[in-house]
Amino acid sequence: MFIQSSLFDASQFQKRKAPAQADFENKNLDVLIAFRDMVPRAFARLHKEIFSTIEPISQDKNLPSVVMSGFLKGELIKHFPQLCGHATKQRFQLTGAGNERIFIKKLDTQMRPSNIPTVDSVLIYNQLSNSHIDVFPNIFLGYTASEDWSDFTGVYAVCIDGEKTLWISDLMMLDDKNGSNIVTMPVQPIVPVSPKIKEGVVKIKKKAE
């Protein structure tokens, strides 16, 4: 039996304010450069420790992204333990220099993070908060990969608000000392909408009679 999720009313939540792209880059340059350098190392480990030992037929389709998340999380904890924590019980996050909530994700070809629409993820992806105090923005650090996972194809910092991408920083173009030389994407005006949560996400097992 499945339970239908209750209606989601975005007006009950506080809106997080997206940071200016250049301001985010300048304040968090050390983390961005470190993450940029961690991705190729994580890919090398993925091929050496996972792909070389687990035959393709035995690999779940989500295995590479799950392993990459673990490798990147481990490196970030080693390098920035004071910044690492959890946004929810299972959701890892870093705290940026401007108190940004930074999440690690694999990105699709549009540089968008994947999304399973639970209540927590809908709040994060739509820059909503259930607290008057916690109104700091959500940012994603992520990477793109070739379809066969032979290599990574980009490393980015992304700020989104629902279906809108507010800005994208190409971390491969960061200068270690002078910051980014990339062109800032224009920020689009945000029209408040009520996010939809996929129904039937909670399954209840029948009790034995």
Side-chain angles (χ1 to χ4, degrees), residues 5 11 14 21 30 34 45 48 65 70 79-80 100 121 124 129 147 161 164 176-177 181 192 200 204 207:
S5 300
S11 65
Q14 305 299 311
Q21 182 177 10
D30 56 341
R45 289 187 63 189
K48 181 179 179 181
S65 58
H79 286 78
F80 305 102
E100 304 91 349
S121 67
I124 292 170
S129 172
E147 188 173 352
D161 191 329
K164 297 180 176 64
D176 289 19
K177 295 181 180 179
N181 295 317
I204 298 181
K207 294 182 179 180

Side-chain angles (χ1 to χ4, degrees), residues 106-123:
K106 180 183 181 296
L107 307 175
D108 62 21
T109 55
Q110 302 301 313
M111 275 70 79
R112 301 268 309 180
S114 60
N115 178 26
I116 298 176
T118 63
V119 172
D120 286 333
S121 67
V122 168
L123 291 177

Side-chain angles (χ1 to χ4, degrees), residues 12-198:
Q12 298 178 358
F13 301 92
Q14 305 299 311
K15 196 68 176 176
R16 299 178 184 275
K17 184 178 180 181
Q21 182 177 10
D23 188 49
F24 173 78
E25 290 177 1
N26 291 332
K27 287 182 178 178
N28 297 282
L29 187 60
D30 56 341
V31 173
L32 300 183
I33 290 173
F35 182 76
R36 175 201 64 191
D37 296 339
M38 290 173 186
V39 171
R41 293 199 298 268
F43 257 86
R45 289 187 63 189
L46 177 69
H47 282 262
K48 181 179 179 181
E49 300 175 25
I50 305 299
F51 289 167
S52 64
T53 58
I54 302 177
E55 59 183 349
I57 196 172
S58 300
Q59 296 175 15
D60 182 86
K61 67 177 182 178
N62 295 323
L63 177 65
S65 58
V66 171
V67 171
M68 282 290 294
S69 293
F71 287 160
L72 293 170
K73 173 183 174 181
E75 286 221 35
L76 287 166
I77 291 174
K78 290 176 184 176
H79 286 78
F80 305 102
Q82 74 281 7
L83 304 181
C84 296
H86 286 83
T88 62
K89 186 175 181 180
Q90 296 182 335
R91 196 183 301 272
F92 174 75
Q93 75 164 49
L94 287 87
T95 300
N99 287 316
E100 304 91 349
R101 290 153 37 106
I102 302 174
F103 302 94
I104 310 302
K105 294 289 286 186
K106 180 183 181 296
L107 307 175
D108 62 21
T109 55
Q110 302 301 313
M111 275 70 79
R112 301 268 309 180
S114 60
N115 178 26
I116 298 176
T118 63
V119 172
D120 286 333
S121 67
V122 168
L123 291 177
I124 292 170
Y125 283 63
N126 288 273
Q127 299 288 355
L128 297 174
S129 172
N130 56 8
S131 168
H132 291 277
I133 300 174
D134 177 20
V135 291
F136 300 106
N138 299 320
I139 306 294
F140 293 93
L141 287 186
Y143 62 91
T144 53
S146 57
E147 188 173 352
D148 63 358
W149 283 89
S150 59
D151 200 2
F152 69 96
T153 55
V155 187
Y156 305 93
V158 180
C159 183
I160 66 172
D161 191 329
E163 297 300 314
K164 297 180 176 64
T165 298
L166 304 183
W167 49 256
I168 301 172
S169 291
D170 185 344
L171 303 190
M172 300 304 292
M173 298 181 67
L174 282 175
D175 182 290
D176 289 19
K177 295 181 180 179
N178 300 317
S180 174
N181 295 317
I182 65 176
V183 177
T184 301
M185 295 177 59
V187 175
Q188 304 176 43
I190 303 301
V191 179
V193 295
S194 294
K196 294 180 181 179
I197 301 178
K198 187 178 292 183

